[in-house]
């Protein structure tokens, strides 16, 4: 199940990108550490600043969380990210349940699900951020990160969605958002690697 997500998650274990995933480690935890040669240090001197990984363009945005806390999407770089525009009064709203299931199953492996409420389609997200938060908690026990309501299309489209849908910035997965619960999958380096239509359930075999 979830081959696209699993493929993105397992790139860490296969190629050693980013920090190690403890769920993939094997061997004896009590084994003696491998000695290091004194004349071949493996770490830079203490006064050398750590190398900075450039922020991926898709994550170069700051948005308020559902509770109003300013949040830099760059903080998610190094994780596999699933971006979803959500709504509380849509026929697809039950997808919250599958999204929460994915969160519970894969969060520890490095999956971050980011929900972006939007009222662009049929006025199906009319509530305030506080009302959306209460709805998500009471009906689906949502534990993944949710952001303040924004616009995913039109003249007031948020720059994040301008980036995700533009031919200039995301040519392989460009195109207008067609409805609630459209999904973009980003790998650990912040590259958009897949896009799934609204009716494609989060637990569908291809996701």
């Amino acid at each position: 199940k979830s081959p696209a997500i699993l493929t993105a998650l397992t790139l860490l274990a296969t190629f050693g990108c980013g920090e190690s995933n403890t769920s993939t480690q094997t061997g004896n935890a009590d084994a003696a550490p491998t000695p290091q040669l004194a004349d071949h240090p493996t770490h830079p001197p203490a006064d050398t600043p750590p190398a900075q990984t450039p922020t991926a363009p898709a994550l170069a945005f700051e948005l308020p969380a559902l509770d109003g806390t300013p949040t830099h999407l760059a903080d998610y770089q190094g994780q596999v990210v699933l971006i979803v525009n959500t709504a509380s009064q849509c026929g697809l709203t039950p997808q919250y349940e599958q999204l929460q299931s994915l969160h519970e199953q894969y969060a520890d492996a490095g999956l971050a699900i980011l929900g972006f409420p939007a009222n662009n389609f049929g006025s199906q997200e009319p509530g305030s951020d506080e009302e959306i938060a209460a709805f998500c908690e009471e009906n689906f026990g949502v534990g993944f990160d949710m952001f303040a309501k924004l616009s995913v299309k039109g003249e007031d489209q948020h720059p994040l969605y301008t980036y995700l849908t533009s031919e200039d910035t995301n040519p392989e997965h460009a195109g207008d958002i067609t409805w609630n619960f459209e999904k973009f999958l980003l790998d650990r380096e912040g590259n958009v690697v897949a896009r799934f239509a609204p009716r494609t359930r989060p637990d569908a075999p291809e996701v």
Side-chain angles (χ1 to χ4, degrees), residues 14-39:
T14 303
F15 299 107
C17 303
E19 298 179 356
S20 62
N21 181 351
T22 56
S23 66
T24 64
Q25 293 178 348
T26 58
N28 185 355
D30 297 325
T34 302
Q36 295 181 0
L37 299 179
D39 57 343

Side-chain angles (χ1 to χ4, degrees), residues 182-206:
E182 197 126 4
K183 308 156 194 76
F184 293 86
L185 183 66
L186 282 62
D187 66 14
R188 293 184 186 270
E189 295 181 349
N191 303 306
V192 182
V193 295
R195 178 175 177 171
F196 302 100
R199 292 189 178 276
T200 301
R201 289 165 49 110
D203 59 358
E206 62 269 31

Side-chain angles (χ1 to χ4, degrees), residues 56-119:
L59 298 175
F61 301 95
E62 181 180 350
L63 304 93
L66 203 52
D67 64 1
T69 303
T71 304
H72 293 275
L73 296 191
D75 293 342
Y76 295 97
Q77 190 156 316
Q79 299 181 71
V80 174
V81 177
L82 186 66
I83 293 175
V84 189
N85 60 301
T86 64
S88 301
Q89 299 179 12
C90 177
L92 302 180
T93 299
Q95 288 192 17
Y96 268 124
E97 183 176 354
Q98 294 109 45
L99 290 168
Q100 177 60 22
S101 179
L102 283 178
H103 169 70
E104 293 172 1
Q105 186 172 4
Y106 295 118
D108 287 345
L111 175 66
I113 298 174
L114 311 184
F116 294 90
N119 197 38

Side-chain angles (χ1 to χ4, degrees), residues 23 45 57 59 65 74-75 114 117 120 122 129-130 132 144 152 155 171 181:
S23 66
L59 298 175
D75 293 342
L114 311 184
N120 294 95
D129 290 341
E130 293 78 10
I132 294 168
F144 54 86
V152 300
E155 294 182 358
F181 291 90

Side-chain angles (χ1 to χ4, degrees), residues 91-176:
L92 302 180
T93 299
Q95 288 192 17
Y96 268 124
E97 183 176 354
Q98 294 109 45
L99 290 168
Q100 177 60 22
S101 179
L102 283 178
H103 169 70
E104 293 172 1
Q105 186 172 4
Y106 295 118
D108 287 345
L111 175 66
I113 298 174
L114 311 184
F116 294 90
N119 197 38
N120 294 95
F121 304 103
S123 298
Q124 294 179 348
E125 189 62 286
S128 66
D129 290 341
E130 293 78 10
E131 290 169 332
I132 294 168
F135 173 86
C136 290
E137 171 62 28
E138 293 169 6
N139 292 279
F140 300 101
V142 169
F144 54 86
D145 292 344
M146 294 286 297
F147 289 79
K149 188 162 64 173
L150 49 65
S151 176
V152 300
K153 65 180 301 183
E155 294 182 358
D156 59 344
Q157 183 182 53
H158 190 278
L160 168 62
Y161 274 87
T162 302
Y163 178 90
L164 291 173
T165 59
S166 172
E167 290 279 356
D168 294 332
T169 52
N170 189 24
E172 292 187 22
H173 305 286
D176 289 344

